[in-house]
Amino acid sequence: IGTKAQFIKCKPVINYIVNNSDVEILLTNQHKDFLDKFIQELNPNVKIQDFLENNEVLDSIFKNIKWFVYSFIKIITNKTLKPEKNSLIINHGDTLSALLGAIFGLKHKVKKLHLEAGLRSGKFFKPFPEEIIRKLVSLSSDYLVADGPESYQNLNKYFRSKDLYTTTINTAYDNLKISSMNTLKSTNGIIILMHRSENIFSRKKLKKFVEYLIQLQEKHSNSKFIWIMHPSTESKLLQYNLIDKLKNKIEVCGLIEHDKFISMLKNSLLFITDSLSAEFESFVLRKKTVIWRNSFVNRYDLDSFLYITKSYSLDSSISATSSLINSDINEKLSVVNKPSIEFYEIIKKIGY
């Protein structure tokens, strides 16, 4: 595990499995600042190995490449950490950390499982490098686990020769405690979360997004805009001289505890994001959401979801968002089986 999204989605699975099996986490520290703060949320019986070193914020493409190359070399040359032959390596998603986990499993010739394996954009290089990484991790794995019927169909299409399984819904669902919710109150808060490389590493795209927020805030000045900012996003806003434009209009804060974020999301008026993970959480909570992304468009067929792609002009983006804010949409919460329990049953079925 190395990233914020991996930790959030795997936490309920880890905390459930450790009650029945030995679980050891190899930290790649890709998002070290986040992991240092929140790793204690895991069950104390989980063994944690600080496997790969990283003492800086990976807020540029160059820093990510340098860290990945160093980590790759350490995995290949490491002679001290060896998993038992009957171990199962579980890698999650489409991050560089997932790819390093697959390499670690290949080196030691142990069985590998790819969790959240079925997500596909339909385009080889969009998003890059995530789409390629997910395919590589799936190719190198023995067992593939999707997070729902649509993702499972993708696995059936591309990986029929492998052992395929699925949970009812993404494992992040168990973090939301849906069964304990009754009604969600709405405030005037508009929450923003933006961090994907396709958006923040382009000066032109990030400038357009900042201008979109400023004009939207001017149009909805009674709402409180809060941008929960990843270090890499803040770094790019500083580099492009855009962060000062947000002053007195958009409140900026750093990454917060996931439970606090979910509480803010539950009670928000609108959520604006490019994150797949946060999009899923908003889908479950049925919040009005703007998805600012060119890949994985229209994943959820909800009236409360607006997908803004590069085909939208600035004016049409603001107009469509305002219409969503003012719309009278009241969709019911989604209540399903616990995917952590389903995932554990899959592990038992394959013999672990």
Side-chain angles (χ1 to χ4, degrees):
I1 290 178
T3 70
K4 176 177 178 281
Q6 281 184 311
F7 178 81
I8 290 170
K9 292 179 179 181
C10 291
K11 182 178 72 171
V13 170
I14 294 167
N15 285 340
Y16 185 83
I17 293 175
V18 76
N19 294 318
N20 303 282
S21 305
D22 292 332
V23 178
E24 185 170 359
I25 307 297
L26 300 185
L27 293 182
T28 70
N29 288 308
Q30 188 175 345
H31 292 171
K32 181 175 173 59
D33 52 340
F34 177 86
L35 293 174
D36 284 347
K37 291 179 183 177
F38 303 116
I39 197 69
Q40 70 273 9
E41 294 180 7
L42 293 178
N43 186 305
N45 292 322
V46 176
K47 299 175 185 176
I48 299 172
Q49 282 271 6
D50 224 0
F51 182 44
L52 299 175
E53 297 177 7
N54 175 34
N55 295 313
E56 61 180 345
V57 177
L58 303 179
D59 56 6
S60 70
I61 294 175
F62 173 75
K63 287 180 180 178
N64 274 277
I65 293 173
K66 184 177 74 170
W67 166 81
F68 178 79
V69 171
Y70 160 80
S71 300
F72 174 80
I73 292 172
K74 180 167 182 180
I75 288 173
I76 296 302
T77 58
N78 174 71
K79 295 181 179 179
T80 55
L81 182 60
K82 296 181 180 180
E84 296 179 9
K85 288 300 181 182
N86 62 343
S87 296
L88 176 68
I89 303 290
I90 300 174
N91 294 304
H92 177 278
D94 58 7
T95 66
L96 289 172
S97 292
L99 184 56
L100 289 170
I103 293 167
F104 180 82
L106 285 170
K107 179 193 173 182
H108 294 287
K109 300 179 180 179
V110 294
K111 295 289 186 179
K112 297 166 294 298
L113 182 150
H114 189 194
L115 179 58
E116 199 183 274
L119 189 61
R120 292 290 181 273
S121 70
K123 299 176 182 178
F124 196 71
F125 291 106
K126 289 186 179 181
F128 180 83
E130 291 91 340
E131 185 74 8
I132 294 174
I133 290 174
R134 197 181 298 264
K135 289 180 179 179
L136 289 174
V137 176
S138 288
L139 281 169
S140 66
S141 299
D142 303 281
Y143 312 105
L144 307 183
V145 181
D147 61 353
E150 184 178 344
S151 294
Y152 186 72
Q153 287 178 7
N154 289 334
L155 294 183
N156 254 325
K157 182 177 179 181
Y158 297 109
F159 298 103
R160 288 183 180 178
S161 62
K162 294 184 180 289
D163 288 344
L164 309 180
Y165 303 91
T166 188
T167 55
T168 303
I169 200 168
N170 194 284
T171 53
Y173 177 88
D174 284 344
N175 288 318
L176 303 178
K177 302 178 177 65
I178 297 299
S179 60
S180 63
M181 294 183 196
N182 294 316
T183 58
L184 302 182
K185 63 181 180 179
S186 287
T187 65
N188 67 341
I190 294 179
I191 311 301
I192 304 137
L193 188 67
M194 180 76 62
H195 67 86
R196 292 181 73 85
S197 58
E198 64 187 80
N199 287 318
I200 68 170
F201 289 121
S202 164
R203 182 191 297 268
K204 181 179 178 181
K205 291 180 180 179
L206 195 54
K207 184 179 179 180
K208 178 183 177 182
F209 181 70
V210 168
E211 189 59 38
Y212 158 81
L213 289 180
I214 291 170
Q215 292 190 31
L216 190 66
Q217 190 276 335
E218 290 171 351
K219 197 168 183 177
H220 299 272
S221 57
N222 291 330
S223 294
K224 184 177 182 180
F225 286 66
I226 304 173
W227 193 339
I228 302 171
M229 200 167 286
H230 283 65
S232 54
T233 308
E234 183 177 12
S235 175
K236 288 303 173 182
L237 287 167
L238 287 166
Q239 180 183 336
Y240 301 149
N241 297 315
L242 294 172
I243 201 157
D244 286 343
K245 295 179 179 292
L246 303 174
K247 288 183 177 178
N248 302 319
K249 294 183 179 294
I250 314 293
E251 181 182 325
V252 173
C253 69
L255 293 176
I256 58 177
E257 294 95 339
H258 187 245
D259 287 347
K260 184 177 180 181
F261 164 71
I262 293 299
S263 179
M264 290 175 66
L265 180 59
K266 287 175 186 175
N267 300 316
S268 65
L269 172 65
L270 179 74
F271 182 41
I272 303 172
T273 189
D274 63 355
S275 166
L276 288 166
S277 302
E279 176 193 9
F280 167 77
E281 290 163 339
S282 193
F283 156 71
V284 174
L285 296 172
R286 297 299 196 259
K287 302 302 296 185
K288 292 180 180 179
T289 305
V290 172
I291 311 298
W292 192 279
R293 199 174 58 227
N294 291 316
S295 55
F296 302 109
V297 176
N298 298 323
R299 292 181 66 208
Y300 304 110
D301 186 20
L302 293 177
D303 292 336
S304 56
F305 269 40
L306 169 65
Y307 288 84
I308 293 182
T309 65
K310 63 182 179 181
S311 64
Y312 276 71
S313 67
L314 183 60
D315 288 343
S316 62
S317 300
I318 295 167
S319 176
T321 304
S322 292
S323 295
L324 178 61
I325 290 173
N326 296 324
S327 64
D328 184 17
I329 298 173
N330 185 21
E331 294 175 297
K332 293 182 179 180
L333 297 174
S334 175
V335 181
V336 298
N337 298 329
K338 282 184 169 291
S340 295
I341 297 175
E342 293 176 336
F343 182 69
Y344 177 64
E345 292 301 319
I346 291 171
I347 288 179
K348 286 200 300 182
K349 189 173 183 178
I350 63 179
Y352 287 90

